Amino acid sequence: MLTPEIDTFIMRMPKVEMHLHLEGTIMPGTLLELAQRNGVELPARDIVGVEQLFRYRNFAEFLTVYMALVRAIRSGEDFERLAYEAGTMLARQQVRYAEVMLSPMQHLNRVDLHEAIAGTAAGFQRVERETGLVVRLGLDYGRQYGPELAWEVLEIAQQAMKHGVVAWSIGGNEIGHPPEPFAEVFAAAKAAGLRLMAHAGEVVGPASVWGAVDALQSERLGHGIRSIDDANLVTYLSQRGVVLDICPSSNLWTGAARSWEAHPLRQLFDAGVPVTLNTDDPTFFHTTLIDEYRIAVRQFGFDVDDLCTLVLNGVRASFLPLHEQEPLLRRIEDELIALRQELGV
Ligand code: ADE
Ligand code: ZN
């Protein structure tokens, strides 16, 4: 039950956000302003109108809206503003560490990707100076563009490691775009020192998840909720410690899960799969990380121990080198213990 004490605990507890698309954090007012300044037509004239755009009947419709709206973001400065606003929003929710993806193919031929990444890094560095929030970046390649074009983007990712890019990922339309053709690109990303992530098992079944772990050697999976349809896969994920970055509200809004009752978060957690809790695209899914923790309690019956496990799973699954991950883990563990004592939860 979400008691007032547990709600206070959720608001104040130190958190990590492991699955977040920068473009998906854009505030309606910022979207409107950027579209006007950059001469990009939006099918809305004011904030109320923009808010109406974030509605979808299925995953394909969500992707169409996402790809259309992010066209309003045009310059390194725009990315710096988005990153600063996203970082401030995270820090206010007591997020201590975040891994944030950019969707490079949505911007190709419109924005210089080097500038976009440098701007993003500058925005998050300003937040780090002001609040202490640490952010690392990943590039999330749109799988529908096919593996051939990915090489050019991977080259940019490698050059951007100096700006805090640590991860390579595929996202976008999972239907009809299986992981296997990306195996060579993923191997090259790994050889370059990037860590590996893939959206899998969001709207396609276990075959997509098996492909992401076998063919791509993906260390973490975005969503992975359809793994629940294959008992062998659930056992595999739990024994190998393959992490699922789960985003409950996202799954409801895109129709990836039909209802809270049909969402497998609780079963995957109980089966020992290391899961983390995230927002994916908070503006597009009308949520915040704090709300996702409330949902974990209200809809999935998580208790305070479970909430702490979700946070600590995230820290352990992070793509930080061990010498940075270990002190963060200790600090967050200490903070959680002190807060539980203070609030008596
Ligand atoms: N890009 C932004 N959000 C996404 C999601 N939920 N799945 C795949 N690609 C995405
Ligand atoms: Zn995602």
Side-chain angles (χ1 to χ4, degrees):
M1 208 179 52
L2 187 61
T3 62
E5 293 76 23
I6 294 181
D7 200 54
T8 303
F9 176 73
I10 286 174
M11 287 191 278
R12 288 183 54 194
M13 73 193 287
K15 302 172 193 70
V16 293
E17 166 70 271
M18 310 307 291
H19 190 107
L20 181 65
H21 299 264
L22 179 66
E23 297 88 343
T25 68
I26 193 166
M27 298 194 299
T30 303
L31 176 59
L32 198 61
E33 238 184 274
L34 293 188
Q36 281 165 353
R37 172 147 47 86
N38 295 330
V40 177
E41 286 270 346
L42 285 185
R45 270 175 298 126
D46 52 24
I47 295 209
V48 177
V50 170
E51 279 164 354
Q52 299 293 323
L53 303 176
F54 300 109
R55 315 210 163 260
Y56 344 86
R57 276 161 304 173
N58 53 47
F59 182 76
E61 229 174 80
F62 154 69
L63 261 192
T64 305
V65 172
Y66 181 83
M67 295 198 300
L69 296 188
V70 304
R71 279 189 216 137
I73 312 162
R74 283 295 165 95
S75 66
E77 246 173 64
D78 293 349
F79 278 89
E80 183 167 350
R81 172 169 173 185
L82 277 193
Y84 182 73
E85 290 178 356
T88 306
M89 169 274 290
L90 292 169
R92 255 193 259 118
Q93 295 181 77
Q94 306 306 320
V95 174
R96 305 282 188 262
Y97 174 74
E99 287 179 11
V100 179
M101 291 170 272
L102 272 79
S103 303
M105 294 307 280
Q106 302 336 337
H107 309 295
L108 211 63
N109 304 327
R110 278 194 290 269
V111 184
D112 178 326
L113 284 178
H114 295 282
E115 260 182 46
I117 298 167
T120 301
F124 282 126
Q125 273 152 18
R126 191 169 144 216
V127 177
E128 181 169 351
R129 287 194 297 275
E130 291 178 6
T131 69
L133 168 70
V134 173
V135 175
R136 295 290 178 265
L137 303 175
L139 293 195
D140 184 51
Y141 181 82
R143 58 210 297 161
Q144 64 271 26
Y145 297 94
E148 298 77 20
L149 297 178
W151 293 100
E152 184 189 332
V153 180
L154 178 58
E155 178 75 33
I156 294 170
Q158 276 174 248
Q159 289 165 21
M161 288 170 81
K162 61 176 182 290
H163 291 305
V165 170
V166 298
W168 174 259
S169 161
I170 51 170
N173 192 4
E174 196 183 359
I175 300 167
H177 302 283
E180 286 79 3
F182 293 90
E184 275 182 49
V185 182
F186 268 65
K190 184 176 179 182
L194 289 162
R195 306 290 296 271
L196 306 179
M197 232 279 299
H199 287 71
E202 181 181 15
V203 287
V204 175
S208 177
V209 179
W210 280 119
V213 289
D214 282 342
L216 305 187
Q217 304 278 302
S218 183
E219 301 172 73
R220 291 205 327 251
L221 303 173
H223 306 283
I225 54 173
R226 295 276 43 95
S227 306
I228 201 68
D229 301 333
D230 177 345
N232 290 333
L233 178 55
V234 173
T235 305
Y236 179 93
L237 297 174
S238 101
Q239 285 179 351
R240 299 286 180 100
V242 179
V243 174
L244 303 186
D245 294 321
I246 291 188
C247 314
S249 290
S250 161
N251 299 147
L252 252 77
W253 275 96
T254 63
R258 262 178 296 110
S259 61
W260 293 126
E261 293 71 34
H263 194 290
L265 169 60
R266 180 88 236 180
Q267 289 147 277
L268 291 164
F269 184 86
D270 288 346
V273 178
V275 301
T276 70
L277 195 64
N278 313 280
T279 59
D280 205 12
D281 302 284
T283 302
F284 287 71
F285 304 132
H286 312 269
T287 191
T288 64
L289 192 55
I290 285 176
D291 282 341
E292 297 303 312
Y293 276 85
R294 289 179 174 136
I295 287 166
V297 174
R298 276 208 195 104
Q299 306 295 344
F300 297 97
F302 279 47
D303 63 19
V304 170
D305 280 343
D306 299 335
L307 301 182
C308 294
T309 300
L310 290 171
V311 175
L312 298 172
N313 281 349
V315 182
R316 292 193 192 97
S318 73
F319 292 152
L320 284 173
L322 276 185
H323 70 272
E324 292 176 52
Q325 186 186 109
E326 280 168 356
L328 179 68
L329 186 66
R330 277 195 297 273
R331 193 182 127 211
I332 290 188
E333 276 172 342
D334 290 348
E335 275 191 77
L336 287 170
I337 291 167
L339 186 60
R340 290 183 74 162
Q341 262 172 4
E342 182 191 330
L343 299 176
V345 295

